Amino acid sequence: MHAYDHADVLAGQGTVGREFEQDAPDLTHVLAAIGGGGLIGGIAAWYAGSASVISVEPEGCPASHDELAAGKPVNARVGGVASDSLGARQVGSEMFPLAQRFVSAAVLVPEVAILAAQRLLWDRFRLVVEPGGATAAAALLSGRFQPPAGARVGVVVCGANADPGNAAAG
């Protein structure tokens, strides 16, 4: 089974949207980092427009951003601090139509914002997350995503490719 480009993966990842909706039914926006698109595709399909789903990528891995802008699959560059988890040259073909229909915006964040978010998540919440897992939070913390007045925003923090030794390093 493909890691992100399979209907069953998308359906499984959609349970993250379901959990968000159960825990915070009044969310108006959900931010999620994207590599190949399985997670955000599932979340977007779950919400199906009832909340704005925002894709967030590092500037060095802009596959979703570039494809949504072009309206078709294109090859994107892959590089930077989060490329090990978010580096996809293209998003999945199963997910792309979902993104076109249900992803409200695609935001790019610089590496410095990702690293700052990663550090803040450790300092304030003692969460050890990989750079890719801090990417969605980086959009909100850096101002690259500015929620409208009255918005209720959920941020997906995910990823298990973290080195706990790096969390305490400054």
Side-chain angles (χ1 to χ4, degrees), residues 86-148:
L86 300 180
R89 295 211 182 279
Q90 290 185 342
V91 299
S93 61
E94 296 275 335
M95 181 286 255
F96 187 64
L98 294 170
Q100 286 183 300
R101 188 166 175 199
F102 298 125
V103 171
S104 301
V107 176
L108 297 176
V109 294
E111 286 195 9
V112 66
I114 294 168
L115 295 172
Q118 187 182 25
R119 181 66 189 187
L120 182 132
L121 289 167
W122 169 251
D123 288 344
R124 290 220 186 134
F125 305 107
R126 292 299 189 237
L127 293 174
V128 177
V129 300
E130 65 177 276
T135 298
L140 190 59
L141 296 169
S142 70
R144 290 291 176 107
F145 171 74
Q146 296 186 356

Side-chain angles (χ1 to χ4, degrees), residues 7 25 40 47 57 61 63 81 88 98-99 101 105 110 142 149 153-154 160:
I40 200 167
Y47 277 102
E57 294 170 293
C61 300
V81 69
L98 294 170
R101 188 166 175 199
S142 70
V153 180

Side-chain angles (χ1 to χ4, degrees), residues 5-105:
D5 198 22
H6 191 281
D8 291 341
V9 172
L10 289 165
Q13 298 289 359
T15 63
V16 173
R18 180 177 184 258
E19 289 177 35
F20 260 81
E21 190 174 68
Q22 288 175 336
D23 291 344
D26 56 345
L27 288 180
T28 59
H29 296 77
V30 177
L31 280 68
I34 177 173
L39 177 60
I40 200 167
I43 293 170
W46 176 264
Y47 277 102
S50 65
S52 293
V53 176
I54 312 299
S55 80
V56 184
E57 294 170 293
E59 290 175 340
C61 300
S64 172
H65 176 272
D66 291 357
E67 289 186 19
L68 288 171
K72 63 181 181 181
V74 297
N75 283 325
R77 66 187 181 282
V78 173
V81 69
S83 62
D84 61 342
S85 61
L86 300 180
R89 295 211 182 279
Q90 290 185 342
V91 299
S93 61
E94 296 275 335
M95 181 286 255
F96 187 64
L98 294 170
Q100 286 183 300
R101 188 166 175 199
F102 298 125
V103 171
S104 301

